[in-house]
Amino acid sequence: MSDTRIIKVNGNEVEVQSNLTLLQACEVAGEEIPRFCYHERLSVAGNCRMCLIEVKGGPPKPVASCAQNVRDLRPGPEGQPPELFTNTPMVKKAREGVMEFLLINHPLDCPICDQGGECDLQDQAVAYGRDGSRFEENKRAVEEKHMGPLIKTIMTRCIQCTRCVRFATEIGGVDDLGLVNRGENAEITTYLEKAVESELTGNLIDVCPVGALTSKPYAFNARPWELRKTETIDVMDAVGSNIRVDARGREVLRILPVLHEDINEEWIADKTRFIWDGLKRQRLDKPYVRKDGKLSPASWDEALEAVAAKLKGTPKEKIAALVGDLVPTEAVKALKDLMTSIGTPHMDCRQDGAAIENGDRRSYLFNTGIGGLEQADAILLVGTNPRVEAPMINARLRKIWLNNLDVKIGLIGEQKDLSFDYDYLGAGPETLQSLTDGQGEFFDTLKAAKNPVIIIGSGAITRSDGAAVLAAAARLAGAVGAVRDDWNGFNVLHTAAARVGALDLGFVPGDSGLDFGGILTGAADGKIDVVYNLGADDCDVAKLKNAFVIYQGHHGDAGARYADVILPGAAYTEQSGIYVNTEGRAQMAIRAAFPPGDAREDWAILRALSDRVGKTLPYDDLFALRQAMVETTPTLGRIDQIGVDEGTFDLGAIGTSGNVDATPFVSAVSDYYLTNSVARASKTMAECSAMMSGAAKVAAE
């Protein structure tokens, strides 16, 4: 904790930490300071001069409050507290002059600018600017820059605050942006006219205080005051970023970040932000029943009767259920209760075949917590590429690497650019095994660390030897002291938003039940006759073609292709539900728009079906369902909480001992932009995928 000082702001005494900037100190005192270049999470540039204030006893001119610290203030001649003023005539005149300079070349674009209505320059020009300009020369114009399919540039509007350059360099970890030339000719550019190659480029739109960088897919679609704004949860990965969905009518038009310090801070990844156009393409908006080998539209009555007749006419041991990666826990609970009442043990949620069980939940959680990573001083990544599997966790790792010069990061797996330096230890399980046996320099690093962290990715545990790899990682965690009463450094990094919630609910095979791969094989071999597929598209669904498949989902993706009955469900923005992120934090998603056509919420479809099957589920509304869910799984009721597990954490019970394969680890995500059915329906994601894979020529001709 840094020491504090007493200062006076506009005559009011306030005690502040001495390491704060004058701008932050004034805001602690309740005074608003205008700014363009200053941003709390970026380095100080001090080049817009909008934050000028007056310091008593200081120089006879205004001071840039973002670039001076409280500790630099001198007391009065008799030891009086330093005094700051934010509303004197000197400050007012200085800010008006700065604003006049900023507007010299800024075009009068407000009526056609996408930033209109939520523009810092508009707001501050009204609050702190003059009512006219004394500048009569011609305005300059700047050539547009190419920044890829996500960012629309109108650089004539740029005020050279350099926020975008600092974000790309410091947080994104890419050197694609910079300021060239000097004085009147200064401009922000991508140097070689190429796209900004980062999974966080959409945040450049948020940090830009003017309309120079705006969203290309959202361009000219809506004004902010037209949109209905709903704070909810992202499901594109297992991080659970907090987001705001802006919709008009039934159509989602943009997605923005919501501040959550412990998860995504104030950033979101590009897939999270730009996925929204996939929500209106290739949608399932009515039930379908296969007749004479062809799927035909049907009424809900027909579809539910067809499903019920098949379920009632099939022996329970020949019925199975699968759960996909985007499903809310309420739907998982309803499907589990329905299958349990039918009497089948064949159910699974581990679509990727991960070797994790639903025993002690700490055995499959990111136990350190995303925010807790900042306390780590040695980190080992095993079989994961967090840059594409969880960009917000990768950004957090980069932040740790930048701010803590002593932190050591090691990687076992694919050698990729993660935006931070790391020690490459090896490609596969043998390297992990040698560390577990106490060999290698990095073992000593982990052993000597105060707070060591081991992060196991899906690429390590979805293999045939995944259980043995997981056991080896757990043994290593025990050997280096990564788990103790005040610290848990054993972490599993999931890639699926629905996975942890489904494991918490126990949606795994019962006694003598088949797992995910076993159900697929059983359907192909004739051991399974009926498969209830709840949104599972990212598996080998072609194996299901010999069985009677009931597909419940929201997009006409792979799962729907082999279905005999399609029950149209709601996407994640169209139903309220609880999702549990990779660190075990239950969060509530709120409906932002209604599903299209005859599509219904997932749990409601299952409740209606249970009536037809004669196994009526004991809840009639969402509240009653959640009550039943929390009774069996209390962690799902602890909204936005982690670290509620008690008792001894037995690392020896994780995984199973056995031989490991020498095959190198490969990341579970091969194409970041096309990981689920919503992404594959998105035109924007297809453009991004083509650009990043080199299929599209993006350099200016």
Side-chain angles (χ1 to χ4, degrees):
M1 185 72 179
S2 55
D3 59 324
T4 60
R5 288 189 65 179
I6 293 177
I7 62 171
K8 292 178 81 172
V9 179
N10 293 341
N12 299 316
E13 280 196 6
V14 59
E15 185 176 5
V16 297
Q17 295 178 26
S18 60
N19 63 345
L20 294 185
T21 63
L22 302 189
L23 186 152
Q24 291 170 316
C26 289
E27 295 205 325
V28 168
E31 298 294 336
E32 181 184 9
I33 305 294
R35 85 291 297 269
F36 291 112
C37 69
Y38 176 80
H39 191 285
E40 289 82 354
R41 300 184 195 277
L42 303 176
S43 60
V44 173
N47 55 5
C48 77
R49 317 311 280 183
M50 196 64 211
C51 64
L52 296 173
I53 62 171
E54 184 178 343
V55 178
K56 185 176 181 180
K61 61 179 182 178
V63 170
S65 61
C66 70
Q68 185 171 337
N69 283 27
V70 171
R71 69 165 69 93
D72 300 326
L73 295 174
R74 293 180 300 178
E78 297 176 9
Q80 304 100 318
E83 288 197 58
L84 311 178
F85 298 96
T86 68
N87 53 11
T88 60
M90 178 204 285
V91 172
K92 183 175 185 295
K93 184 178 179 184
R95 288 177 180 170
E96 286 178 353
V98 168
M99 180 59 71
E100 192 175 0
F101 272 120
L102 288 173
L103 294 175
I104 280 176
N105 285 312
H106 194 80
L108 296 173
D109 269 354
C110 300
I112 59 157
C113 178
D114 273 322
Q115 198 83 346
E118 48 191 9
C119 175
D120 290 350
L121 190 62
Q122 275 184 333
D123 296 341
Q124 293 181 40
V126 170
Y128 304 103
R130 290 167 49 92
D131 59 357
S133 173
R134 292 167 289 184
F135 188 79
E136 296 177 353
E137 287 80 3
N138 292 330
K139 291 177 181 283
R140 77 163 187 168
V142 181
E143 188 179 332
E144 303 313 345
K145 306 296 184 292
H146 171 80
M147 289 194 189
L150 303 178
I151 308 293
K152 177 186 174 187
T153 64
I154 301 182
M155 301 311 291
T156 302
R157 299 173 185 161
C158 178
I159 60 171
Q160 287 86 46
C161 70
T162 69
R163 275 190 187 182
C164 56
V165 176
R166 284 174 285 146
F167 175 87
T169 306
E170 295 165 18
I171 295 174
V174 292
D175 295 324
D176 293 340
L177 284 178
L179 183 76
V180 296
N181 303 328
R182 300 179 65 184
E184 187 184 19
N185 297 316
E187 58 182 278
I188 303 290
T189 178
T190 53
Y191 299 125
L192 300 175
E193 289 289 316
K194 72 182 193 66
V196 181
E197 294 181 359
S198 168
E199 296 74 30
L200 305 175
T201 54
N203 296 293
L204 298 174
I205 300 164
D206 291 341
V207 299
C208 182
V210 296
L213 305 178
T214 56
S215 170
K216 192 175 281 188
Y218 173 71
F220 308 128
N221 269 351
R223 286 298 194 183
W225 54 85
E226 298 177 73
L227 303 174
R228 186 178 63 256
K229 302 166 180 66
T230 308
E231 293 191 4
T232 182
I233 304 302
D234 170 57
V235 300
M236 292 299 113
D237 53 31
V239 173
S241 298
N242 285 222
I243 58 173
R244 192 186 88 194
V245 175
D246 290 359
R248 184 174 58 196
R250 288 192 171 201
E251 189 177 8
V252 173
L253 289 177
R254 68 173 178 178
I255 296 174
L256 299 173
V258 169
L259 177 69
H260 195 303
E261 289 290 354
D262 292 332
I263 301 177
N264 57 306
E265 298 183 303
E266 62 185 85
W267 320 118
I268 52 174
D270 288 347
K271 188 164 51 173
T272 299
R273 184 187 298 265
F274 296 105
I275 197 75
W276 52 265
D277 69 317
L279 291 167
K280 59 186 176 185
R281 291 193 175 91
Q282 298 180 20
R283 290 302 301 271
L284 299 172
D285 58 357
K286 59 172 73 77
Y288 288 85
V289 176
R290 192 175 294 276
K291 298 173 183 173
D292 301 323
K294 185 178 178 182
L295 284 168
S296 305
S299 67
W300 271 109
D301 271 345
E302 285 180 79
L304 291 175
E305 280 301 329
V307 174
K310 196 69 181 177
L311 287 174
K312 286 192 283 190
T314 305
K316 61 184 181 183
E317 62 275 6
K318 285 182 167 284
I319 298 173
L322 306 174
V323 159
D325 293 345
L326 308 180
V327 183
T329 51
E330 290 85 350
V332 178
K333 167 71 172 169
L335 182 57
K336 185 188 179 192
D337 287 353
L338 178 59
M339 290 297 134
T340 302
S341 64
I342 288 173
T344 177
H346 310 307
M347 60 180 92
D348 202 356
C349 64
R350 298 163 298 186
Q351 185 171 213
D352 53 10
I356 41 182
E357 305 296 334
N358 72 320
D360 187 333
R361 73 194 299 256
R362 288 171 289 185
S363 67
Y364 56 80
L365 292 186
F366 199 92
N367 292 292
T368 305
I370 298 168
L373 280 175
E374 296 190 21
Q375 300 172 43
D377 46 0
I379 300 169
L380 175 65
L381 304 172
V382 181
T384 181
N385 176 358
R387 184 164 174 175
V388 294
E389 294 172 29
M392 298 322 305
I393 289 180
N394 197 71
R396 188 78 67 152
L397 290 170
R398 176 172 170 80
K399 178 183 178 183
I400 296 161
W401 172 75
L402 277 177
N403 296 342
N404 182 358
L405 297 177
D406 297 326
V407 71
K408 299 288 185 185
I409 302 176
L411 173 71
I412 302 174
E414 290 183 284
Q415 193 168 5
K416 299 279 189 179
D417 176 11
L418 299 183
S419 78
F420 51 82
D421 293 340
Y422 56 82
D423 296 331
Y424 183 64
L425 307 177
E430 296 107 324
T431 308
L432 176 63
Q433 196 69 54
S434 66
L435 280 180
T436 304
D437 295 338
Q439 301 170 20
E441 187 179 329
F442 205 81
F443 176 85
D444 299 331
T445 301
L446 288 169
K447 184 80 172 171
K450 181 184 176 185
N451 294 326
V453 164
I454 297 172
I455 300 175
I456 305 100
S458 295
I461 57 176
T462 55
R463 304 151 43 105
S464 58
D465 60 350
V469 171
L470 193 61
R475 287 199 304 276
L476 176 60
V480 299
V483 177
R484 54 180 192 267
D485 290 344
D486 62 336
W487 178 257
N488 191 337
F490 179 80
N491 300 293
V492 176
L493 177 55
H494 293 278
T495 56
R499 185 65 45 76
V500 174
L503 287 169
D504 285 347
L505 285 166
F507 200 91
V508 291
D511 293 337
S512 72
L514 298 173
D515 63 8
F516 211 103
I519 292 171
L520 295 179
T521 306
D525 296 345
K527 294 176 184 174
I528 297 292
D529 288 343
V530 177
V531 177
Y532 200 109
N533 182 351
L534 181 54
D537 295 292
D538 297 280
C539 56
D540 190 2
V541 287
K543 287 185 175 180
L544 299 175
K545 62 185 177 185
N546 293 338
F548 184 90
V549 179
I550 304 127
Y551 178 77
Q552 181 180 326
H554 39 78
H555 276 76
D557 205 71
R561 192 174 306 140
Y562 295 97
D564 294 283
V565 177
I566 292 176
L567 305 177
Y572 71 105
T573 56
E574 298 158 1
Q575 59 183 330
S576 294
I578 292 172
Y579 289 90
V580 186
N581 75 348
T582 189
E583 53 183 354
R585 186 192 301 267
Q587 299 187 101
M588 197 170 294
I590 308 298
R591 182 175 62 203
F594 286 93
D598 292 332
R600 295 291 181 266
E601 295 185 17
D602 285 329
W603 77 269
I605 296 171
L606 289 156
R607 171 64 180 78
L609 176 62
S610 69
D611 266 352
R612 307 291 180 107
V613 180
K615 307 283 186 183
T616 304
L617 295 174
Y619 26 80
D620 297 328
D621 56 41
L622 191 59
F623 181 74
L625 169 53
R626 283 180 176 159
Q627 276 189 311
M629 191 168 69
V630 172
E631 278 177 25
T632 58
T633 314
T635 52
L636 295 176
R638 298 175 184 139
I639 301 299
D640 204 28
Q641 293 181 36
I642 59 172
V644 293
D645 301 285
E646 297 175 355
T648 304
F649 181 26
D650 183 8
L651 287 168
I654 298 176
T656 56
S657 57
N659 296 324
V660 293
D661 189 348
T663 310
F665 294 132
V666 178
S667 170
V669 175
S670 57
D671 188 335
Y672 166 70
Y673 296 101
L674 302 175
T675 54
N676 57 58
S677 58
V678 187
R680 287 188 288 272
S682 166
K683 182 182 175 185
T684 305
M685 292 297 101
E687 289 176 3
C688 290
S689 175
M691 178 197 73
M692 295 301 277
S693 67
K697 299 295 184 185
V698 294
E701 295 298 331

